[in-house]
Structure formats: structure tokens, C-alpha cells
Coordinates of all heavy atoms in Angstrom, one line a residue:
M1 N 94.0 57.6 151.2 CA 94.8 58.7 151.4 C 95.8 58.4 152.6 O 97.0 58.8 152.5 CB 94.0 59.9 151.8 CG 94.7 61.2 151.8 SD 93.5 62.6 151.8 CE 94.2 63.5 153.2
K2 N 95.4 57.7 153.6 CA 96.3 57.4 154.7 C 97.2 56.3 154.4 O 98.4 56.3 154.8 CB 95.5 57.1 156.0 CG 94.8 58.3 156.5 CD 94.3 58.1 157.9 CE 93.7 59.3 158.5 NZ 94.1 59.5 159.8
F3 N 96.7 55.3 153.7 CA 97.5 54.1 153.4 C 97.5 53.8 151.8 O 97.0 52.8 151.4 CB 97.0 52.9 154.1 CG 96.9 53.1 155.6 CD1 95.7 53.2 156.2 CD2 98.1 53.1 156.3 CE1 95.7 53.4 157.6 CE2 98.1 53.3 157.7 CZ 96.9 53.4 158.3
P4 N 98.1 54.7 151.1 CA 98.1 54.6 149.6 C 99.0 53.4 149.2 O 99.9 53.0 149.9 CB 98.6 55.9 149.1 CG 99.5 56.4 150.2 CD 98.9 55.9 151.5
P5 N 98.7 52.8 148.0 CA 99.6 51.8 147.5 C 101.0 52.4 147.3 O 101.2 53.5 146.7 CB 99.0 51.4 146.2 CG 97.9 52.4 145.9 CD 97.6 53.1 147.1
E6 N 102.0 51.7 147.8 CA 103.4 52.2 147.8 C 104.0 52.1 146.4 O 104.8 53.0 146.0 CB 104.2 51.5 148.8 CG 103.8 51.8 150.2 CD 104.7 51.1 151.2 OE1 105.7 50.6 150.9 OE2 104.3 51.1 152.4
R7 N 103.7 51.1 145.7 CA 104.2 50.9 144.4 C 103.2 51.0 143.3 O 102.0 50.7 143.6 CB 105.0 49.5 144.3 CG 106.2 49.5 145.2 CD 106.9 48.2 145.0 NE 106.0 47.1 145.4 CZ 106.1 45.8 145.1 NH1 107.1 45.5 144.3 NH2 105.3 44.9 145.5
I8 N 103.6 51.3 142.1 CA 102.6 51.4 141.0 C 102.1 50.0 140.7 O 102.8 49.0 140.7 CB 103.3 51.9 139.7 CG1 103.9 53.3 140.0 CG2 102.4 51.9 138.6 CD1 104.7 53.9 138.9
N9 N 100.8 49.9 140.7 CA 100.1 48.6 140.4 C 98.9 48.8 139.5 O 98.4 49.9 139.4 CB 99.8 47.9 141.7 CG 98.7 48.6 142.5 OD1 97.6 48.7 142.1 ND2 99.1 49.2 143.6
G10 N 98.4 47.7 139.0 CA 97.3 47.8 138.1 C 96.0 47.3 138.8 O 95.0 47.1 138.1
V11 N 96.0 47.2 140.1 CA 94.9 46.6 140.8 C 94.1 47.7 141.6 O 92.8 47.8 141.4 CB 95.3 45.5 141.8 CG1 94.1 45.0 142.6 CG2 96.1 44.4 141.1
Y12 N 94.7 48.5 142.4 CA 93.9 49.5 143.1 C 94.7 50.8 143.2 O 95.9 50.8 143.0 CB 93.5 49.0 144.5 CG 94.6 48.9 145.5 CD1 94.8 49.8 146.5 CD2 95.5 47.8 145.5 CE1 95.8 49.8 147.4 CE2 96.5 47.7 146.4 CZ 96.6 48.7 147.4 OH 97.6 48.6 148.3
G13 N 94.0 51.9 143.6 CA 94.6 53.2 143.7 C 94.1 54.1 142.6 O 93.2 53.6 141.7
Y14 N 94.5 55.3 142.5 CA 94.1 56.2 141.4 C 95.0 55.8 140.2 O 96.2 56.2 140.1 CB 94.4 57.6 141.8 CG 94.0 58.6 140.8 CD1 92.6 59.0 140.6 CD2 94.9 59.2 139.9 CE1 92.3 59.8 139.6 CE2 94.6 60.1 138.9 CZ 93.2 60.4 138.8 OH 92.9 61.3 137.8
R15 N 94.4 55.1 139.2 CA 95.2 54.5 138.1 C 94.8 55.2 136.8 O 93.8 54.8 136.2 CB 95.0 53.0 138.0 CG 95.4 52.3 139.2 CD 95.2 50.8 139.1 NE 93.9 50.5 138.4 CZ 92.7 50.3 139.0 NH1 92.7 50.3 140.3 NH2 91.7 49.9 138.3
T16 N 95.5 56.1 136.3 CA 95.4 56.7 135.0 C 96.8 56.5 134.3 O 97.8 56.4 135.0 CB 94.9 58.1 135.0 OG1 95.9 58.9 135.7 CG2 93.5 58.3 135.6
P17 N 96.8 56.6 133.0 CA 98.2 56.4 132.4 C 99.1 57.5 132.9 O 100.3 57.2 133.0 CB 97.8 56.6 130.9 CG 96.4 56.1 130.8 CD 95.7 56.5 132.0
F18 N 98.7 58.7 133.1 CA 99.6 59.8 133.5 C 100.0 59.6 134.9 O 101.2 59.8 135.3 CB 98.9 61.2 133.4 CG 99.9 62.3 133.5 CD1 100.8 62.6 132.4 CD2 100.0 63.1 134.6 CE1 101.7 63.6 132.6 CE2 100.9 64.1 134.7 CZ 101.8 64.4 133.7
A19 N 99.1 59.1 135.8 CA 99.5 58.8 137.2 C 100.5 57.7 137.3 O 101.2 57.6 138.3 CB 98.2 58.5 138.0
M20 N 100.5 56.8 136.3 CA 101.4 55.6 136.4 C 102.7 55.8 135.6 O 103.4 54.9 135.4 CB 100.6 54.4 135.9 CG 99.4 54.1 136.7 SD 98.4 52.8 136.0 CE 99.4 51.3 136.3
K21 N 103.0 57.1 135.3 CA 104.3 57.4 134.5 C 105.5 56.9 135.3 O 106.4 56.3 134.8 CB 104.4 58.8 134.2 CG 103.5 59.3 133.1 CD 104.1 59.2 131.8 CE 103.2 59.8 130.8 NZ 103.6 59.5 129.4
N22 N 105.6 57.4 136.6 CA 106.7 57.0 137.4 C 106.3 57.1 138.9 O 105.1 57.4 139.2 CB 107.9 57.9 137.2 CG 107.6 59.4 137.4 OD1 106.9 59.7 138.3 ND2 108.2 60.2 136.5
Q23 N 107.2 56.8 139.8 CA 106.8 56.7 141.2 C 106.4 58.0 141.8 O 105.5 58.1 142.6 CB 108.0 56.1 142.0 CG 107.6 55.8 143.4 CD 106.6 54.7 143.5 OE1 106.6 53.7 142.8 NE2 105.6 54.8 144.4
E24 N 107.0 59.1 141.3 CA 106.7 60.4 141.8 C 105.3 60.9 141.4 O 104.5 61.4 142.2 CB 107.7 61.5 141.3 CG 107.6 62.8 142.0 CD 108.8 63.7 141.6 OE1 109.5 63.5 140.7 OE2 108.8 64.8 142.3
T25 N 104.9 60.6 140.1 CA 103.6 61.0 139.7 C 102.6 60.1 140.4 O 101.5 60.5 140.8 CB 103.4 60.8 138.2 OG1 103.7 59.5 137.8 CG2 104.2 61.8 137.5
W26 N 102.9 58.8 140.7 CA 102.1 57.9 141.3 C 101.8 58.3 142.8 O 100.6 58.4 143.2 CB 102.7 56.5 141.3 CG 101.9 55.5 142.1 CD1 102.2 55.0 143.4 CD2 100.8 54.8 141.7 NE1 101.3 54.0 143.7 CE2 100.4 53.9 142.7 CE3 100.0 54.8 140.5 CZ2 99.3 53.0 142.6 CZ3 98.9 53.9 140.4 CH2 98.6 53.1 141.5
D27 N 102.8 58.7 143.5 CA 102.6 59.2 144.9 C 101.8 60.4 145.0 O 100.9 60.5 145.8 CB 104.0 59.4 145.5 CG 104.8 58.1 145.7 OD1 104.2 57.0 145.7 OD2 106.0 58.2 145.8
S28 N 102.0 61.4 144.1 CA 101.3 62.6 144.1 C 99.8 62.3 143.7 O 98.9 62.9 144.3 CB 101.9 63.6 143.1 OG 101.1 64.8 143.1
A29 N 99.6 61.4 142.8 CA 98.2 61.1 142.4 C 97.5 60.4 143.5 O 96.3 60.6 143.7 CB 98.2 60.2 141.1
Q30 N 98.1 59.5 144.2 CA 97.5 58.8 145.3 C 97.1 59.8 146.4 O 96.0 59.7 147.0 CB 98.4 57.7 145.9 CG 98.7 56.7 144.9 CD 97.6 56.1 144.1 OE1 96.6 55.7 144.6 NE2 97.7 56.2 142.8
Q31 N 97.9 60.7 146.7 CA 97.6 61.7 147.8 C 96.5 62.6 147.4 O 95.5 62.8 148.1 CB 98.9 62.5 148.2 CG 98.6 63.4 149.3 CD 99.9 64.1 149.7 OE1 100.9 64.2 149.0 NE2 99.9 64.7 150.9
Y32 N 96.6 63.2 146.2 CA 95.6 64.2 145.8 C 94.3 63.4 145.4 O 93.2 63.9 145.8 CB 96.1 65.0 144.6 CG 95.2 66.2 144.3 CD1 95.4 67.3 145.0 CD2 94.3 66.1 143.3 CE1 94.6 68.5 144.8 CE2 93.5 67.3 143.0 CZ 93.7 68.4 143.7 OH 92.9 69.5 143.5
G33 N 94.4 62.3 144.8 CA 93.2 61.5 144.4 C 92.4 61.0 145.7 O 91.2 61.0 145.7
G34 N 93.2 60.6 146.7 CA 92.5 60.2 147.9 C 91.7 61.3 148.6 O 90.6 61.1 149.1
F35 N 92.3 62.5 148.6 CA 91.6 63.7 149.1 C 90.4 64.0 148.3 O 89.3 64.2 148.9 CB 92.6 64.9 149.2 CG 92.0 66.1 149.7 CD1 91.7 66.3 151.0 CD2 91.6 67.1 148.8 CE1 91.1 67.4 151.5 CE2 91.1 68.3 149.3 CZ 90.8 68.5 150.6
S36 N 90.5 64.0 147.0 CA 89.3 64.3 146.2 C 88.2 63.3 146.3 O 87.0 63.6 146.3 CB 89.7 64.6 144.8 OG 90.2 63.4 144.2
M37 N 88.6 62.0 146.5 CA 87.6 61.0 146.7 C 86.8 61.2 148.0 O 85.6 60.9 148.0 CB 88.3 59.6 146.6 CG 88.7 59.1 145.3 SD 89.4 57.5 145.3 CE 90.3 57.5 143.8
I38 N 87.5 61.6 149.0 CA 86.9 61.8 150.3 C 85.9 63.0 150.1 O 84.7 62.9 150.6 CB 87.9 62.1 151.4 CG1 88.6 60.8 151.8 CG2 87.2 62.7 152.6 CD1 89.8 61.0 152.7
I39 N 86.3 64.1 149.5 CA 85.5 65.3 149.3 C 84.2 64.9 148.5 O 83.1 65.2 148.9 CB 86.2 66.4 148.6 CG1 87.4 66.9 149.5 CG2 85.3 67.6 148.2 CD1 87.0 67.4 150.9
F40 N 84.4 64.2 147.4 CA 83.3 63.8 146.5 C 82.4 62.8 147.2 O 81.2 62.8 147.0 CB 83.7 63.3 145.2 CG 84.0 64.4 144.2 CD1 85.2 64.8 143.9 CD2 82.9 65.1 143.6 CE1 85.5 65.9 143.0 CE2 83.1 66.1 142.7 CZ 84.4 66.5 142.4
G41 N 82.9 62.0 148.1 CA 82.1 61.0 148.9 C 81.2 61.7 149.9 O 80.1 61.4 150.1
I42 N 81.8 62.8 150.5 CA 81.0 63.5 151.5 C 79.9 64.3 150.7 O 78.7 64.3 151.2 CB 81.9 64.5 152.2 CG1 82.8 63.7 153.2 CG2 81.1 65.6 153.0 CD1 83.9 64.6 153.8
I43 N 80.2 64.9 149.6 CA 79.2 65.6 148.8 C 78.1 64.6 148.4 O 76.9 64.9 148.4 CB 79.8 66.3 147.6 CG1 80.7 67.5 148.1 CG2 78.8 66.8 146.7 CD1 81.6 68.1 147.0
N44 N 78.5 63.4 147.9 CA 77.5 62.4 147.5 C 76.7 62.0 148.7 O 75.5 61.7 148.5 CB 78.2 61.2 146.8 CG 77.3 60.4 146.1 OD1 76.2 60.8 145.6 ND2 77.7 59.1 145.9
G45 N 77.2 61.9 149.8 CA 76.5 61.5 151.0 C 75.4 62.5 151.4 O 74.3 62.2 151.7
F46 N 75.8 63.8 151.3 CA 74.8 64.9 151.5 C 73.7 64.9 150.5 O 72.5 65.0 150.8 CB 75.5 66.3 151.5 CG 76.2 66.6 152.8 CD1 77.5 67.0 152.8 CD2 75.6 66.4 154.0 CE1 78.2 67.3 154.0 CE2 76.2 66.7 155.2 CZ 77.6 67.1 155.2
F47 N 74.1 64.6 149.2 CA 73.1 64.6 148.2 C 72.1 63.4 148.4 O 70.9 63.5 148.1 CB 73.7 64.5 146.8 CG 72.8 64.5 145.7 CD1 72.1 65.6 145.3 CD2 72.5 63.3 145.0 CE1 71.2 65.6 144.2 CE2 71.6 63.2 144.0 CZ 70.9 64.4 143.6
C48 N 72.7 62.3 148.8 CA 71.8 61.1 149.1 C 70.8 61.4 150.2 O 69.6 61.1 150.0 CB 72.7 59.9 149.5 SG 71.9 58.5 150.0
A49 N 71.3 62.0 151.3 CA 70.4 62.3 152.4 C 69.3 63.3 151.9 O 68.1 63.2 152.3 CB 71.2 62.9 153.5
W50 N 69.7 64.3 151.2 CA 68.8 65.3 150.7 C 67.8 64.7 149.8 O 66.6 65.1 149.8 CB 69.6 66.4 150.0 CG 68.7 67.5 149.4 CD1 68.0 68.5 150.0 CD2 68.3 67.6 148.0 NE1 67.3 69.2 149.1 CE2 67.4 68.7 147.9 CE3 68.6 66.8 146.9 CZ2 66.9 69.1 146.7 CZ3 68.0 67.2 145.7 CH2 67.2 68.3 145.6
S51 N 68.2 63.8 148.9 CA 67.2 63.2 147.9 C 66.2 62.3 148.6 O 65.1 62.2 148.1 CB 68.0 62.4 146.8 OG 68.5 61.3 147.4
Y52 N 66.5 61.8 149.7 CA 65.5 61.0 150.5 C 64.6 61.9 151.3 O 63.4 61.5 151.5 CB 66.2 60.0 151.4 CG 66.6 58.7 150.7 CD1 67.9 58.4 150.5 CD2 65.6 57.9 150.2 CE1 68.3 57.3 149.9 CE2 66.0 56.7 149.5 CZ 67.3 56.4 149.4 OH 67.7 55.3 148.7
L53 N 65.0 63.1 151.7 CA 64.2 64.0 152.5 C 63.3 64.8 151.6 O 62.2 65.2 152.0 CB 65.1 64.9 153.3 CG 65.9 64.2 154.4 CD1 66.8 65.2 155.1 CD2 65.0 63.5 155.4
Q54 N 63.7 65.1 150.4 CA 63.0 66.0 149.5 C 62.2 65.1 148.5 O 62.8 64.2 147.8 CB 63.9 66.9 148.7 CG 64.5 68.0 149.5 CD 63.4 69.1 149.8 OE1 62.3 69.0 149.4 NE2 63.8 70.0 150.6
P55 N 60.9 65.3 148.3 CA 60.2 64.5 147.2 C 60.7 65.0 145.9 O 60.8 66.2 145.6 CB 58.8 64.9 147.5 CG 58.8 66.1 148.3 CD 60.1 66.2 149.0
M56 N 61.0 64.1 145.0 CA 61.5 64.4 143.7 C 60.6 63.7 142.6 O 60.0 62.7 142.9 CB 62.9 64.0 143.5 CG 63.9 64.6 144.5 SD 65.6 63.9 144.3 CE 66.1 64.6 142.8
N57 N 60.5 64.3 141.5 CA 59.7 63.7 140.4 C 60.4 62.5 139.7 O 59.8 61.7 139.1 CB 59.4 64.8 139.3 CG 58.5 65.8 139.9 OD1 57.7 65.6 140.8 ND2 58.5 67.0 139.3
V58 N 61.7 62.4 139.9 CA 62.5 61.3 139.3 C 62.8 60.3 140.4 O 62.7 60.6 141.6 CB 63.8 61.9 138.7 CG1 63.5 62.8 137.5 CG2 64.7 62.5 139.7
N59 N 63.2 59.2 140.0 CA 63.6 58.1 140.9 C 64.9 58.5 141.7 O 65.8 58.9 141.1 CB 63.8 56.8 140.1 CG 64.1 55.6 140.9 OD1 64.3 55.7 142.2 ND2 64.1 54.5 140.3
N60 N 64.8 58.4 143.0 CA 66.0 58.8 143.8 C 67.2 58.0 143.4 O 68.3 58.5 143.4 CB 65.7 58.5 145.3 CG 64.8 59.6 145.8 OD1 64.6 60.6 145.2 ND2 64.1 59.3 147.0
Q61 N 67.1 56.7 143.1 CA 68.3 55.9 142.8 C 68.9 56.4 141.5 O 70.1 56.4 141.4 CB 67.9 54.4 142.7 CG 67.5 53.8 144.0 CD 67.0 52.4 143.9 OE1 66.7 52.0 142.8 NE2 67.0 51.7 145.0
N62 N 68.1 56.7 140.5 CA 68.6 57.2 139.2 C 69.3 58.6 139.4 O 70.4 58.8 138.8 CB 67.5 57.4 138.2 CG 67.0 56.0 137.7 OD1 67.6 55.0 137.9 ND2 65.8 56.0 137.1
A63 N 68.8 59.4 140.3 CA 69.4 60.7 140.5 C 70.7 60.5 141.2 O 71.7 61.2 140.9 CB 68.5 61.6 141.4
Q64 N 70.8 59.6 142.2 CA 72.0 59.4 142.9 C 73.1 58.8 142.0 O 74.3 59.1 142.0 CB 71.8 58.5 144.1 CG 71.0 59.1 145.2 CD 70.6 58.1 146.3 OE1 71.1 57.0 146.3 NE2 69.7 58.6 147.2
L65 N 72.6 57.8 141.1 CA 73.6 57.2 140.2 C 74.1 58.3 139.2 O 75.3 58.3 138.9 CB 72.9 56.1 139.4 CG 73.7 55.4 138.4 CD1 74.9 54.7 139.1 CD2 72.9 54.4 137.6
L66 N 73.3 59.2 138.7 CA 73.7 60.2 137.8 C 74.7 61.1 138.5 O 75.7 61.5 137.9 CB 72.5 61.0 137.3 CG 72.8 62.2 136.4 CD1 73.4 61.6 135.1 CD2 71.5 63.0 136.1
F67 N 74.4 61.5 139.8 CA 75.4 62.4 140.5 C 76.7 61.6 140.7 O 77.8 62.2 140.6 CB 74.8 62.8 141.8 CG 75.7 63.8 142.6 CD1 75.8 65.1 142.2 CD2 76.4 63.3 143.6 CE1 76.6 65.9 142.8 CE2 77.3 64.2 144.3 CZ 77.4 65.5 143.9
L68 N 76.6 60.3 141.0 CA 77.9 59.6 141.2 C 78.7 59.5 140.0 O 79.9 59.7 140.0 CB 77.5 58.1 141.7 CG 78.7 57.2 142.0 CD1 79.5 57.7 143.2 CD2 78.2 55.8 142.2
V69 N 78.1 59.3 138.8 CA 78.9 59.3 137.6 C 79.4 60.6 137.2 O 80.6 60.7 136.9 CB 78.0 58.7 136.4 CG1 78.6 58.9 135.1 CG2 77.6 57.3 136.6
I70 N 78.6 61.7 137.4 CA 79.1 63.0 137.1 C 80.2 63.4 138.0 O 81.2 64.0 137.6 CB 78.0 64.1 137.1 CG1 77.0 63.8 136.0 CG2 78.5 65.5 137.2 CD1 75.7 64.6 136.0
G71 N 80.1 63.1 139.3 CA 81.1 63.4 140.3 C 82.4 62.6 140.0 O 83.5 63.2 140.2
S72 N 82.3 61.4 139.6 CA 83.5 60.6 139.3 C 84.2 61.2 138.1 O 85.5 61.3 138.1 CB 83.1 59.1 139.0 OG 82.5 58.5 140.1
V73 N 83.5 61.5 137.1 CA 84.2 62.1 135.9 C 84.8 63.5 136.3 O 85.9 63.7 135.9 CB 83.2 62.3 134.7 CG1 83.7 63.1 133.6 CG2 82.7 60.9 134.2
L74 N 84.1 64.3 137.0 CA 84.6 65.5 137.5 C 85.8 65.4 138.3 O 86.8 66.1 138.2 CB 83.5 66.3 138.2 CG 83.8 67.7 138.6 CD1 84.1 68.6 137.4 CD2 82.7 68.3 139.4
M75 N 85.8 64.4 139.2 CA 87.0 64.1 140.1 C 88.2 63.8 139.2 O 89.3 64.2 139.5 CB 86.7 63.0 141.1 CG 87.8 62.7 142.0 SD 87.6 61.1 142.8 CE 87.8 60.0 141.4
I76 N 88.0 62.9 138.2 CA 89.2 62.5 137.4 C 89.7 63.7 136.6 O 90.9 63.9 136.5 CB 88.7 61.4 136.4 CG1 88.5 60.1 137.2 CG2 89.8 61.1 135.4 CD1 87.9 59.0 136.4
V77 N 88.8 64.5 136.1 CA 89.3 65.7 135.4 C 90.1 66.7 136.3 O 91.2 67.1 136.0 CB 88.1 66.5 134.7 CG1 88.5 67.8 134.2 CG2 87.5 65.6 133.6
I78 N 89.6 66.9 137.5 CA 90.2 67.8 138.5 C 91.6 67.2 138.9 O 92.6 67.9 138.9 CB 89.4 68.0 139.7 CG1 88.2 68.9 139.3 CG2 90.1 68.7 140.8 CD1 87.1 69.0 140.4
D79 N 91.7 65.9 139.1 CA 92.9 65.3 139.5 C 93.9 65.3 138.4 O 95.1 65.5 138.6 CB 92.7 63.8 139.9 CG 91.9 63.7 141.2 OD1 91.8 64.8 141.9 OD2 91.5 62.6 141.6
E80 N 93.5 65.1 137.1 CA 94.4 65.1 136.0 C 94.9 66.5 135.7 O 96.1 66.7 135.4 CB 93.7 64.6 134.7 CG 93.6 63.1 134.8 CD 94.9 62.3 134.9 OE1 95.8 62.6 134.1 OE2 95.0 61.4 135.7
V81 N 94.1 67.5 135.9 CA 94.5 68.9 135.8 C 95.6 69.2 136.8 O 96.6 69.9 136.5 CB 93.3 69.9 135.8 CG1 93.8 71.3 136.0 CG2 92.5 69.8 134.6
H82 N 95.4 68.8 138.0 CA 96.3 69.0 139.1 C 97.7 68.3 138.8 O 98.7 68.9 138.9 CB 95.8 68.4 140.4 CG 96.8 68.4 141.5 ND1 97.1 69.6 142.2 CD2 97.5 67.5 142.1 CE1 98.0 69.3 143.1 NE2 98.3 68.0 143.1
L83 N 97.6 67.1 138.3 CA 98.9 66.4 137.9 C 99.6 67.1 136.8 O 100.8 67.2 136.8 CB 98.6 64.9 137.5 CG 98.3 64.0 138.7 CD1 97.9 62.6 138.1 CD2 99.4 63.9 139.6
R84 N 98.8 67.6 135.8 CA 99.5 68.3 134.7 C 100.1 69.6 135.1 O 101.0 70.1 134.5 CB 98.4 68.6 133.6 CG 97.7 67.4 133.1 CD 98.4 66.6 132.0 NE 97.5 65.5 131.7 CZ 97.9 64.5 130.9 NH1 99.1 64.5 130.4 NH2 97.1 63.5 130.7
K85 N 99.6 70.2 136.2 CA 100.2 71.4 136.7 C 101.5 71.1 137.3 O 102.4 72.0 137.4 CB 99.3 72.1 137.7 CG 98.1 72.8 137.0 CD 97.3 73.5 138.1 CE 96.0 74.2 137.4 NZ 95.2 74.8 138.5
L86 N 101.7 70.0 137.9 CA 102.9 69.6 138.7 C 103.9 68.9 137.8 O 105.1 69.1 138.1 CB 102.5 68.7 139.8 CG 101.7 69.2 141.0 CD1 101.4 68.1 142.0 CD2 102.3 70.4 141.6
F87 N 103.5 68.2 136.8 CA 104.4 67.4 136.0 C 104.4 67.7 134.5 O 103.3 68.0 134.0 CB 104.1 65.9 136.3 CG 104.3 65.5 137.7 CD1 103.2 65.3 138.5 CD2 105.5 65.2 138.2 CE1 103.3 64.9 139.8 CE2 105.7 64.8 139.5 CZ 104.6 64.7 140.3
N88 N 105.5 67.5 133.9 CA 105.6 67.6 132.4 C 105.0 66.3 131.8 O 104.7 65.3 132.5 CB 107.0 67.7 131.9 CG 107.7 69.0 132.4 OD1 107.0 70.1 132.3 ND2 108.9 69.0 132.9
R89 N 104.9 66.3 130.5 CA 104.2 65.1 129.8 C 105.0 63.8 130.0 O 104.5 62.7 130.1 CB 104.1 65.4 128.3 CG 103.0 66.3 128.0 CD 102.9 66.4 126.5 NE 101.8 67.3 126.2 CZ 100.9 67.0 125.3 NH1 100.9 65.9 124.7 NH2 99.9 67.9 125.1
D90 N 106.3 63.9 130.2 CA 107.2 62.7 130.4 C 107.2 62.3 131.8 O 107.8 61.3 132.2 CB 108.6 63.0 129.9 CG 109.3 64.1 130.6 OD1 108.7 64.8 131.4 OD2 110.5 64.2 130.4
G91 N 106.6 63.0 132.7 CA 106.5 62.6 134.1 C 107.5 63.3 135.0 O 107.5 63.0 136.2
T92 N 108.3 64.1 134.5 CA 109.3 64.9 135.3 C 108.6 66.1 135.9 O 107.7 66.7 135.4 CB 110.5 65.4 134.5 OG1 110.0 66.2 133.4 CG2 111.3 64.2 133.9
R93 N 109.0 66.4 137.1 CA 108.4 67.5 137.9 C 108.7 68.8 137.2 O 109.9 69.1 136.8 CB 108.8 67.5 139.3 CG 108.0 68.5 140.2 CD 108.4 68.3 141.6 NE 107.7 67.2 142.3 CZ 106.4 67.2 142.7 NH1 105.7 68.3 142.6 NH2 105.9 66.2 143.3
K94 N 107.7 69.7 137.1 CA 108.0 71.0 136.5 C 108.8 71.9 137.5 O 108.6 71.7 138.7 CB 106.7 71.7 136.2 CG 105.9 71.1 135.0 CD 104.7 71.9 134.7 CE 104.0 71.3 133.5 NZ 102.8 72.1 133.2
E95 N 109.6 72.7 137.0 CA 110.4 73.6 137.9 C 109.6 74.8 138.3 O 108.8 75.3 137.5 CB 111.7 74.1 137.1 CG 112.7 73.0 136.9 CD 113.9 73.5 136.2 OE1 114.2 74.7 136.4 OE2 114.6 72.8 135.5
R96 N 109.7 75.1 139.6 CA 109.0 76.3 140.1 C 109.8 77.5 139.8 O 111.0 77.5 139.9 CB 108.8 76.1 141.6 CG 107.8 75.0 141.9 CD 107.6 75.0 143.4 NE 106.7 73.8 143.6 CZ 106.2 73.6 144.8 NH1 106.6 74.3 145.9 NH2 105.4 72.5 145.0
L97 N 109.1 78.6 139.5 CA 109.8 79.8 139.2 C 110.0 80.7 140.4 O 109.3 80.7 141.3 CB 109.1 80.6 138.1 CG 109.1 79.9 136.8 CD1 108.3 80.7 135.8 CD2 110.5 79.7 136.2

């Protein structure tokens, strides 16, 4: 979030086809995606600490992995919905009324 990739690349950053439409969608995706990654990382950290403190019937590692996968998918969905609210399908910014 503080040092996002400045140019569109295929190596690192929040890379989805819609986020890579143009530089404006890329910049917005990096800023919002970085924020959501921090939020989901904090939530995952709390869940990890809680799963070690609470006895569970399932394996702690499997529960953490499941939460990580669900959180990642949820984060991508939330980020894509945010981008679709700001930009048209062709990548141009929607006009505000």
C-alpha cells in the first residue's frame, strides 16, 4: 500500500484482468487491494492466535488454511466490486452524479 508497483506488471501487485486494464485502474487496485490485504492479514492473525488458544476438534493448520483461502477469495471479490463501482468495463472512470 505504501510502495505499490508504479507500472502495470505481471510479477507482483494486485493483478486481475480488470485491474490491469489501464494505469488508472491499476493505481486504484493497488491502493484498495493493499488496504484490504492488511485488513485480512490482521483478521487472519487474530484467528491464528485464537485457534492456538482454544482447543478445537479439527487440526489448527487446516482451519487456518481454510480461513486463509476463504479470506483471499473474499478479498478478491470485495476488491473487484470496488473497482466495478469506480470504472466502466472498458476501464474508463465512471462519472459521478
Side-chain angles (χ1 to χ4, degrees):
M1 191 166 128
K2 290 191 178 225
F3 303 106
E6 293 179 12
R7 294 183 297 158
I8 298 172
N9 66 69
V11 179
Y12 73 102
Y14 180 80
R15 299 177 322 267
T16 60
F18 194 74
M20 297 172 73
K21 288 269 186 194
N22 59 39
Q23 190 64 42
E24 192 175 10
T25 58
W26 176 259
D27 292 338
S28 179
Q30 300 313 306
Q31 184 177 14
Y32 193 79
F35 178 73
S36 65
M37 285 180 201
I38 289 171
I39 296 300
F40 277 102
I42 290 170
I43 292 170
N44 196 23
F46 282 130
F47 181 74
C48 174
W50 176 78
S51 69
Y52 277 113
L53 296 175
Q54 288 288 356
M56 299 175 72
N57 293 335
V58 296
N59 187 349
N60 285 343
Q61 292 174 342
N62 290 343
Q64 290 172 11
L65 180 63
L66 180 65
F67 183 77
L68 181 66
V69 169
I70 290 171
S72 298
V73 170
L74 186 63
M75 181 196 68
I76 291 170
V77 169
I78 290 171
D79 291 349
E80 287 298 310
V81 167
H82 174 75
L83 286 175
R84 307 274 179 189
K85 286 181 182 178
L86 295 179
F87 298 99
N88 295 316
R89 286 183 178 232
D90 62 351
T92 58
R93 188 172 282 278
K94 289 183 178 179
E95 292 184 25
R96 295 183 181 183
L97 297 177

